[in-house]
Amino acid sequence: MELLQSTDFWIGLVKIVWINIILSGDNAVVIAMAARSLPPAQQQKAVLFGSGAAVVLRIVLTIVAARLLALPYLQIVGGLLLLWIGLQLLGEEEEDDGEAKEYGSMLAAVRTILLADLVMSLDNVIAVAAAAQGSMVLLVLGLAISIPLVIFGSTLMIKLMERFPIIVMLGAALIGWVGGETIASDVSLHGVLAANPWQHYAAAAAGAFFVVAAGRFLQQRARAEAGH
């Protein structure tokens, strides 16, 4: 009860919730893209499982994020993984939507969500941990409150993607952008970026361009092979 009566507790909680509102946008896009090819009932399960597991993953990552980010080349590997995930998600747009394919991809969708969130959350959790100021109760509570935010955002994005297919392309570009940013943020490149800060944005733009361009190329090749 003393904790709930503390002004610092409520200020910290508001900070964490606000940070998660800001940072949940790209995660919602990944979840929506991974779940969009599933039947409606499976979509909801993928969103729930993926969002819940992703938040638990963030709590675990908070403990080790600072040490992980200090490892050279780790974010380069993570960024490349995000680029690959973006290509895979964009490529799914051209796959057949048969019943066997849809139901068989449930586990794959949740796995994709967790892999992407693992990479995207490494630097994000540091901001959350700073707002929690060492309080594990505050950290867990704040992240738990963020679950419905991610679920709502993902559900909304799925509906928008169904109505406006261009959003799928924009979502893939966003994943590529984050992938490029992640690569540029690696500790081994800090010296280069300190002298040329613009390269951070150049890497992000290059990641977005690569995912969209390579994804479209693979889609056109798949159409050509199907035509033959």
Side-chain angles (χ1 to χ4, degrees), residues 127-176:
V128 176
Q133 296 182 336
S135 172
M136 186 57 63
V137 174
L138 188 56
L139 177 65
V140 173
L141 183 58
L143 291 175
I145 292 174
S146 73
I147 294 178
L149 297 175
V150 177
I151 292 175
F152 173 77
S154 304
T155 304
L156 177 61
M157 287 302 303
I158 290 174
K159 293 179 179 178
L160 289 175
M161 286 176 182
E162 291 174 351
R163 187 168 183 179
F164 306 104
I166 187 63
I167 295 180
V168 175
M169 188 70 66
L170 295 176
L174 175 60
I175 296 173

Side-chain angles (χ1 to χ4, degrees), residues 49-128:
F49 292 156
S51 302
V55 171
V56 173
L57 183 63
R58 286 191 181 195
I59 295 174
V60 176
L61 278 177
T62 302
I63 303 174
V64 296
R67 293 183 180 180
L68 289 177
L69 287 175
L71 296 176
Y73 310 116
L74 178 65
Q75 288 186 273
I76 292 178
V77 174
L80 292 174
L81 177 61
L82 275 181
L83 296 180
W84 178 79
I85 288 174
L87 281 176
Q88 294 296 309
L89 293 177
L90 189 57
E92 286 180 2
E93 189 178 19
E94 293 297 309
E95 293 181 1
D96 294 332
D97 292 327
E99 184 175 346
K101 177 261 174 184
E102 291 182 313
Y103 282 85
S105 62
M106 171 68 181
L107 183 60
V110 175
R111 184 176 64 244
T112 299
I113 291 169
L114 290 179
L115 279 175
D117 198 77
L118 172 65
V119 178
M120 298 165 79
S121 296
L122 273 175
D123 50 355
N124 292 354
V125 294
I126 291 182
V128 176

Side-chain angles (χ1 to χ4, degrees), residues 177 180-186 193 196-206:
W177 179 279
E181 277 189 326
T182 303
I183 293 173
S185 299
D186 190 84
L193 290 175
N196 304 281
W198 60 269
Q199 291 184 358
H200 178 88
Y201 299 100

